[in-house]
Amino acid sequence: MIRKVQIALLVPLALAVTVPLFLNRSSYVQIPQPVQPGMRVIETPAPPARYSDADFAAHVEQLKKKLPSTDFTIVIQPPFVVVGDEPAAAVREHSQHTVKWAVDKLKAEYFSRDPKEIRDIWLFKDAASYQRNAQLLFGERPDTPYGYYSGAHKALVMNISTGGGTLVHEIVHPFIEANFPACPPWLNEGLGSLYEQSGEVDGHIHGFTNWRLPGLQTSIKAGAVQSFRSLTALDARGFYNDDKGTNYAQARYLCYYLQQKGLLTKFYRTFHARQKTDPTGYQTLRETLGNIDMKVFKRKWEKYVLGLVQGYDVTGRP
């Protein structure tokens, strides 16, 4: 019934600007919208069951009022809404081949729940747009040139000209927030940073070695890498108060090691189930590794990391 009414509206308003809206997976319905001349077409695929058509329609209407200019395209890519000022085709490409791909793969591996509320992904075309519009929309200047997730603003804010890696990294965080709110920062950022350089291996999302590796190797050679007991015990202040980024790198390559041994998904799920009795994950980590002496494991892990090479190499899954 709703669809019939919407189609009927087209006849008397044939000259109006239209906005394509997916109401199901297989068809478009043209809905007249009072948009400003020159505003880019908005494309919206159907939402999942958690969010209704009405939820997304209302969200998009509110979002349109916030757009800094008419250069933006909005694409609903459940459970997110993607907003970008690149050409419309580029925004759709990011939405389908980065956002949807990452969401599907991460949910298959780790997460059963979508974020409780719709989150926006802002993709700004270059550094100037990123800095200017983050200030305009959120009243803050980014402290990273790549992008960040703001729980307060319910938004992922990206300089997409730096690539899609940071986007995949930040997509992890709202899913952790929804599924594992007590997750310690080492695992939250370890998973996020693992997938900032990722692809698909045997149908699974797979992190590859990346730019964090050389700095970690330097720290290992200098004897400056802390124990895993210390890493896992860090609170947010302790973890993020790390100018050299060693905490991120150590967490990433611990996750990378677990991935390469076929243990990462098992570890995550076991830790999630035991979070009340093992809030840091350290005991679950020990058990996952076979209850070995963690000082011995650290030496083994350091030797393993020193043998890695930055790039897209895969050392193999069992």
Side-chain angles (χ1 to χ4, degrees):
M1 182 181 296
I2 292 174
R3 185 174 302 155
K4 290 180 180 177
V5 171
Q6 291 166 334
I7 293 173
L9 287 173
L10 287 178
V11 177
L13 296 175
L15 298 179
V17 178
T18 60
V19 180
L21 178 67
F22 268 119
L23 294 185
N24 57 44
R25 296 290 181 186
S26 60
S27 63
Y28 280 101
V29 176
Q30 299 292 330
I31 303 176
Q33 296 287 341
V35 296
Q36 299 175 0
M39 181 174 286
R40 201 178 302 279
V41 170
I42 298 174
E43 292 204 2
T44 54
R50 179 155 192 168
Y51 308 111
S52 68
D53 290 346
D55 291 332
F56 272 105
H59 188 88
V60 168
E61 286 304 310
Q62 291 301 311
L63 196 55
K64 284 159 59 178
K65 297 175 184 177
K66 296 169 56 177
L67 295 181
S69 73
T70 60
D71 297 331
F72 285 80
T73 299
I74 301 176
V75 180
I76 293 178
Q77 187 56 70
F80 299 103
V81 173
V82 182
V83 193
D85 60 349
E86 291 182 294
V91 179
R92 288 195 295 268
E93 179 78 9
H94 294 310
S95 176
Q96 181 69 22
H97 296 290
T98 301
V99 177
K100 184 180 188 304
W101 175 82
V103 167
D104 289 348
K105 296 302 178 183
L106 289 168
K107 289 177 71 172
E109 213 71 32
Y110 306 107
F111 307 123
S112 61
R113 298 186 184 94
D114 285 341
K116 293 180 180 179
E117 299 176 89
I118 298 169
R119 296 292 193 266
D120 299 321
I121 297 177
W122 291 86
L123 303 180
F124 298 114
K125 62 185 178 182
D126 54 31
S129 175
Y130 170 61
Q131 293 286 337
R132 180 179 65 254
N133 287 306
Q135 177 71 46
L136 177 65
L137 289 162
F138 309 115
E140 57 193 25
R141 300 284 292 181
D143 59 4
T144 165
Y146 310 109
Y148 60 94
Y149 170 59
S150 171
H153 297 296
K154 303 173 186 176
L156 289 74
V157 185
M158 301 288 123
N159 173 6
I160 198 60
S161 70
T162 63
T166 300
L167 174 55
V168 179
H169 175 144
E170 301 303 337
I171 284 172
V172 170
H173 295 323
F175 276 101
I176 288 284
E177 189 178 77
N179 290 269
F180 197 171
C183 185
W186 77 266
L187 182 58
N188 192 354
E189 297 297 348
L191 280 178
S193 61
L194 176 64
Y195 297 127
E196 67 197 3
Q197 184 133 4
S198 60
E200 190 170 320
V201 174
D202 298 332
H204 298 269
I205 189 169
H206 189 98
F208 300 103
T209 56
N210 76 337
W211 59 273
R212 296 187 192 272
L213 179 61
L216 178 60
Q217 291 172 328
T218 298
S219 295
I220 289 172
K221 292 173 183 177
V225 176
Q226 66 194 306
S227 71
F228 287 112
R229 182 185 289 275
S230 296
L231 175 72
T232 57
L234 289 174
D235 60 12
R237 178 177 294 183
F239 185 89
Y240 294 111
N241 187 23
D242 171 28
D243 293 338
K244 295 182 179 180
T246 305
N247 293 341
Y248 270 87
Q250 185 181 5
R252 183 189 200 271
Y253 283 95
L254 173 57
C255 289
Y256 181 85
Y257 179 92
L258 291 171
Q259 170 193 262
Q260 296 302 91
K261 300 301 181 182
L263 298 172
L264 182 57
T265 302
K266 174 187 175 182
F267 166 76
Y268 174 88
R269 293 176 180 176
T270 305
F271 178 26
H272 182 269
R274 295 180 178 178
Q275 58 186 292
K276 291 184 179 180
T277 57
D278 182 23
T280 71
Y282 181 73
Q283 294 304 324
T284 305
L285 177 62
R286 286 190 67 247
E287 291 179 23
T288 302
L289 293 169
N291 287 311
I292 63 174
D293 184 321
M294 290 300 285
K295 291 181 180 178
V296 173
F297 170 72
K298 183 170 180 284
R299 292 195 294 269
K300 177 182 178 181
W301 173 82
E302 288 178 339
K303 182 178 179 181
Y304 173 82
V305 171
L306 290 173
L308 296 175
V309 177
Q310 182 179 353
Y312 292 82
D313 57 307
V314 179
T315 57
R317 294 171 64 101

